[in-house]
Amino acid sequence: AQSVTQPDIHITVSEGASLELRCNYSYGATPYLFWYVQSPGQGLQLLLKYFSGDTLVQGIKGFEAEFKRSQSSFNLRKPSVHWSDAAEYFCAVGSSNTGKLIFGQGTTLQVKP
Amino acid sequence: DTAVSQTPKYLVTQMGNDKSIKCEQNLGHDTMYWYKQDSKKFLKIMFSYNNKELIINETVPNRFSPKSPDKAHLNLHINSLELGDSAVYFCASSQDLLGQVRNTIYFGEGSWLTVV
């Protein structure tokens, strides 16, 4: 069965520091992988997605993610975090067979001044 | 203009009541969804509709009844509300049935339901 694990429930970083949010997935075929961000009181916004090709994908707001098939991972990174990046981050895997998105439980990012 | 809009944003109601959440998308998409985000932040699909036809029903209790009068609207009606129904409900839409995995799925801002 497909599943997504985000090992870190809560992460705190200082503004200007680098960030890496971890995501591991379980899927039998080549997955469609996504990162979404949810700001407080808001809906989810797509940051980036991976379908195929280059394993390093660039997204909005300066985020990037790297697909590593050998590690079943799709970690999200940002070189320098801004206070406005404080939010909830969700990794998701999509199945082209079922048309479903399976979300991880989310990582709460707190940014210290 | 909001692409996917849902109302109400906040709803507090007593156990046993019946309530509805409305959703509209102005993107011309064929497929709409309802997701539930529980208190532990888990986000899980409940229903999907494609051109007003029910496609996905994730073993949701039949107290939950989605209604799609046209492909731009997908409303969620909940009968006999229970404490465990307290959650954030997100409406979403995508271009087509596989849009949420191939393209972009657009989410509404959520409806916070509290059952007391």
Side-chain angles (χ1 to χ4, degrees):
Chain A
Q2 302 152 34
S3 65
V4 178
T5 302
Q6 294 178 243
D8 305 305
I9 303 295
H10 192 111
I11 283 185
T12 300
V13 299
S14 298
E15 190 169 15
S18 63
L19 171 71
E20 181 169 32
L21 302 182
R22 295 184 291 164
C23 173
N24 295 99
Y25 67 90
S26 172
Y27 187 68
T30 300
Y32 296 95
L33 294 163
F34 306 81
W35 275 99
Y36 283 85
V37 60
Q38 181 182 18
S39 298
Q42 301 297 315
L44 281 78
Q45 181 183 21
L46 180 67
L47 282 176
L48 48 77
K49 59 190 177 187
Y50 170 79
F51 289 169
S52 64
D54 193 347
T55 56
L56 184 64
V57 292
Q58 302 297 321
I60 63 172
K61 305 184 180 186
F63 285 92
E64 66 178 26
E66 186 170 13
F67 170 59
K68 292 186 177 180
R69 184 188 300 276
S70 62
Q71 298 177 19
S72 297
S73 69
F74 189 57
N75 295 346
L76 182 72
R77 300 193 295 247
K78 186 170 184 177
S80 178
V81 169
H82 188 262
W83 64 266
S84 61
D85 293 324
E88 195 75 33
Y89 290 82
F90 291 93
C91 181
V93 62
S95 166
S96 59
N97 292 330
T98 64
K100 294 181 187 177
L101 272 179
I102 308 297
F103 285 87
Q105 67 184 90
T107 298
T108 303
L109 173 65
Q110 187 177 2
V111 180
K112 294 190 300 184
Chain B
D1 285 345
T2 304
V4 181
S5 59
Q6 49 183 113
T7 56
K9 183 156 187 173
Y10 300 100
L11 182 57
V12 181
T13 188
Q14 291 186 326
M15 284 175 56
N17 284 349
D18 303 338
K19 291 294 177 186
S20 293
I21 306 172
K22 297 184 177 181
C23 179
E24 176 182 5
Q25 54 96 1
N26 62 6
L27 298 166
H29 288 167
D30 288 341
T31 308
M32 295 185 71
Y33 313 83
W34 277 107
Y35 280 81
K36 179 180 179 180
Q37 186 175 41
D38 63 23
S39 59
K40 296 184 179 179
K41 302 180 298 179
F42 275 110
L43 193 64
K44 188 173 180 182
I45 190 168
M46 300 172 67
F47 302 102
S48 74
Y49 269 72
N50 188 61
N51 275 321
K52 304 191 297 176
E53 180 183 353
L54 178 66
I55 302 298
I56 294 174
N57 180 341
E58 285 293 295
T59 60
V60 178
N62 56 16
R63 297 183 296 104
F64 291 79
S65 53
K67 294 282 192 302
S68 183
D70 55 62
K71 72 175 191 178
H73 295 83
L74 180 62
N75 303 323
L76 183 65
H77 189 77
I78 315 171
N79 290 326
S80 303
L81 278 156
E82 301 177 356
L83 293 177
D85 297 331
S86 295
V88 185
Y89 293 86
F90 287 99
C91 180
S93 74
S94 64
Q95 183 64 52
D96 54 36
L97 193 59
L98 293 182
Q100 65 172 328
V101 298
R102 285 200 301 218
N103 301 308
T104 297
I105 179 172
Y106 293 84
F107 285 86
E109 294 190 344
S111 294
W112 271 252
L113 172 64
T114 303
V115 182
V116 297

